[in-house]
Amino acid sequence: MALFAMEASQVASECLVDEEDSSRGCVTIRIGFNSGPITGAVVGTRMPKYTLFGDTINTASRMESNSEPSRVHCSGRSEELL
């Protein structure tokens, strides 16, 4: 997961936002990942989709939301596992 996150960030930084107007710069993404228990379920009847729930997901989401662009943020638990 960590290697994928770093490679995804690198590839995004090489992709132009608008190929016809390079002055708009490249794509920037923020990544946060965490390890722990989760629950998954299909949600919805008209447009069902598989969704993940739990504190692990919420923590990763907060890490991503509060991170700097083009950065990968890893929780302490994930760091221990790596």
Side-chain angles (χ1 to χ4, degrees), residues 1-2 33-36 63 72-82:
M1 183 61 71
F33 71 95
N34 187 23
S35 301
M63 289 170 62
V72 176
H73 292 268
C74 172
S75 70
R77 175 68 178 133
S78 292
E79 180 184 16
E80 291 172 11
L81 294 171
L82 291 173

Side-chain angles (χ1 to χ4, degrees), residues 10-59:
Q10 177 64 34
V11 168
S13 69
E14 296 169 0
C15 293
L16 292 173
V17 171
D18 185 348
E19 291 184 2
E20 296 176 3
D21 182 7
S22 61
S23 67
R24 296 188 66 194
C26 294
V27 174
T28 56
I29 60 175
R30 301 175 307 198
I31 300 170
F33 71 95
N34 187 23
S35 301
I38 60 170
T39 300
V42 176
V43 178
T45 54
R46 296 179 77 197
M47 255 184 144
K49 59 183 174 180
Y50 191 76
T51 305
L52 300 174
F53 303 95
D55 288 339
T56 301
I57 300 298
N58 295 336
T59 299

